[in-house]
Amino acid sequence: MLGSTRGDNNSPLKISLIGTRGVPARYGGFETAIEEVGARLARRGHQVTVYCRGAEPEQRETNYLGMDLVHLPAFKKRSLETLSHTALSVAHAIFKRPQAALVFNAANSPLLPFLRCAAIPLATHVDGLEWKRAKWGPSGQRYYLICERLAVWWSQALIADAQGIADYYTEKFGAQTRLITYGAPIIEEKPAERISEIGLEPNGYHLVVARFEPENHVDMIVRGHAQSGAKLPLVVVGSAPYAEQHTRQIHESANDRVKFLGGVWDQELLDELYAQALIYWHGHSVGGTNPSLLRAIGAGTAVNAFNVNFNREVLLGSGRYFADSTEASELFVEAERNREQVEQRAIQARERAKAYDWDLVTDAYEKLCRDLAGKTWKVVNKRSEYVEKAL
């Protein structure tokens, strides 16, 4: 029988978080979740190891908010970067022997058997419907579809951050998932100070925060703004390291009322941008529950979102929805003409944010890790099975 140290309901656990760019969170939803959840798990006494990539040598910390950071290299090619880094991370984790490994991104599924062979209990956060992303060609899309199935076969638990993702895995694979969303940081109301530095006024602009990828529909929002005759500027935060052509198309769709800020890493300024916008525009369509959307409702800002189940699941009746640039154009005009309705939706959005609490999210991850640590592998009829430990 293969086994690892059992974790009871009180003892601290050794937990490894694998498969992302790591922390501090400067990129996307996975990194945000790891920072928020990992720091809380560390404060609860667990030994949390986060595998990181991309930081310059002089910026590489070994500990961040109580989490141990391990920096490992990766091939600087989009199709290989994640998998190459995760391969090194898995090798290091096998040496470190955590009691629970959380692997983020189904694309890393081909590496799961190595953790299994080392008797390390694992769960995979499957992310969104990655095969729908336009940046992947036919071979990349086929790879992601294969990886979804491998994640189902080789994970002891699957994590979905949205009900729509959980439903997809149930309908396609008959697989159960743990629904663990992200949290919505509550941004307290306070006077605007930083936005004046970039020429903006409270409730005097529209806002979109997103990477420039086709499925995030920044181009659709920019075209809708240009078509609408909206009087307020549209502020665009974001960029895309691998999408020069798409970035160029977005800029070409804009007029002089669009203000491109690029990436904004100043969290105080970014929070103020969310909180003081008239409307936050959310075009994401394939990634499940999105932290940018949650940050907007936590700031008490009304949201117009692309009409897809993940966004409707978060916003419910507080949102307005668009499916093309024409519908977006109409919503730009509606927002500027009906400020009272926007204010009511903003109140509803902040109320909705209370359903997304990082402490409750951490509770769910902690329970998952304890469940993983309370199980082990044994060989039955020449195949591995996942069984409860004898207590």
Side-chain angles (χ1 to χ4, degrees):
M1 177 177 291
L2 299 174
S4 58
T5 305
R6 184 176 70 226
D8 59 35
N9 288 330
N10 298 307
S11 62
L13 299 175
K14 292 172 62 177
I15 303 168
S16 290
L17 307 180
I18 301 169
T20 76
R21 294 175 182 269
V23 294
R26 296 192 180 98
Y27 193 73
F30 277 160
E31 289 74 21
T32 299
I34 283 181
E35 180 167 316
E36 296 287 350
V37 173
R40 285 171 170 80
L41 289 173
R43 287 199 294 271
R44 297 180 185 188
H46 301 292
Q47 182 181 334
V48 179
T49 300
V50 179
Y51 291 91
C52 307
R53 73 178 190 265
E56 297 298 327
E58 64 274 11
Q59 298 175 331
R60 293 177 183 175
E61 304 177 60
T62 58
N63 189 279
Y64 179 70
L65 299 178
M67 299 172 279
D68 295 326
L69 308 188
V70 177
H71 296 269
L72 296 171
F75 287 118
K76 297 301 182 183
K77 185 177 180 181
R78 182 172 65 185
S79 60
L80 296 175
E81 184 175 356
T82 295
L83 197 63
S84 63
H85 178 264
T86 301
L88 294 175
S89 302
V90 166
H92 189 280
I94 290 172
F95 175 77
K96 192 175 181 66
R97 306 211 56 78
Q99 292 160 277
L102 304 182
V103 179
F104 292 78
N105 195 338
N108 292 312
S109 297
L111 299 167
L112 300 182
F114 295 97
L115 293 170
R116 287 184 53 163
C117 289
I120 296 173
L122 67 98
T124 303
H125 191 310
V126 293
D127 199 13
L129 306 180
E130 288 295 308
W131 54 271
K132 288 189 174 184
R133 293 192 184 275
K135 66 182 179 181
W136 305 119
S139 58
Q141 291 170 349
R142 284 194 297 272
Y143 175 78
Y144 268 101
L145 287 168
I146 292 170
C147 285
E148 288 180 350
R149 189 171 297 278
L150 297 182
V152 172
W153 287 349
W154 291 338
S155 303
Q156 288 138 294
L158 299 174
I159 305 166
D161 61 40
Q163 187 61 54
I165 299 298
D167 293 342
Y168 170 80
Y169 274 82
T170 299
E171 292 165 6
K172 185 170 182 178
F173 303 107
Q176 293 185 337
T177 61
R178 298 233 186 171
L179 178 60
I180 308 178
T181 65
Y182 296 138
I186 304 301
I187 301 172
E188 300 299 332
E189 295 185 38
K190 59 182 181 180
E193 297 174 350
R194 299 294 307 282
I195 61 171
S196 61
E197 299 172 6
I198 51 179
L200 299 174
E201 298 179 357
N203 294 316
Y205 59 94
H206 302 267
L207 176 68
V208 57
V209 179
R211 291 199 300 271
F212 290 178
E213 297 178 351
E215 57 278 354
N216 291 345
H217 297 108
V218 178
D219 55 335
M220 182 185 296
I221 296 168
V222 170
R223 285 199 307 272
H225 182 264
Q227 296 167 8
S228 70
K231 300 191 182 322
L232 299 181
L234 172 64
V235 176
V236 180
V237 176
S239 61
Y242 297 112
E244 292 182 7
Q245 182 178 352
H246 188 60
T247 298
R248 184 168 59 253
Q249 291 172 347
I250 291 172
H251 282 264
E252 290 173 351
S253 299
N255 56 28
D256 58 4
R257 290 176 292 120
V258 178
K259 193 178 186 72
F260 291 98
L261 299 186
V264 174
W265 312 120
D266 182 333
Q267 194 61 59
E268 182 181 49
L269 173 59
L270 191 58
D271 285 347
E272 194 167 300
L273 283 167
Y274 278 108
Q276 300 299 337
L278 176 68
I279 293 285
Y280 172 71
W281 291 79
H282 189 72
H284 296 63
S285 63
V286 302
T289 302
N290 184 272
S292 295
L293 177 57
L294 295 179
R295 188 170 289 276
I297 63 174
T301 299
V303 177
N304 292 342
F306 188 74
N307 193 4
V308 69
N309 58 341
F310 309 124
N311 298 333
R312 294 193 301 269
E313 178 183 328
V314 173
L315 296 170
L316 299 180
S318 69
R320 294 290 181 272
Y321 304 96
F322 60 92
D324 53 40
S325 60
T326 299
E327 292 182 1
S329 175
E330 294 169 355
L331 290 179
F332 273 108
V333 174
E334 175 188 290
E336 294 188 8
R337 286 181 177 174
N338 197 339
R339 297 294 190 98
E340 184 176 344
Q341 181 191 76
V342 170
E343 290 175 4
Q344 289 301 313
R345 290 205 289 130
I347 293 171
Q348 293 171 354
R350 187 181 287 275
E351 189 64 27
R352 182 64 184 142
K354 295 178 182 178
Y356 295 87
D357 185 295
W358 277 120
D359 289 326
L360 296 179
V361 171
T362 304
D363 289 346
Y365 272 102
E366 185 175 35
K367 183 178 187 307
L368 170 59
C369 290
R370 290 203 181 280
D371 288 346
L372 291 172
K375 302 176 188 290
T376 191
W377 291 104
K378 73 176 181 179
V379 177
V380 180
N381 296 329
K382 296 185 179 180
R383 66 187 179 91
S384 296
E385 288 191 350
Y386 183 44
V387 297
E388 297 287 345
K389 283 186 176 178
L391 298 179

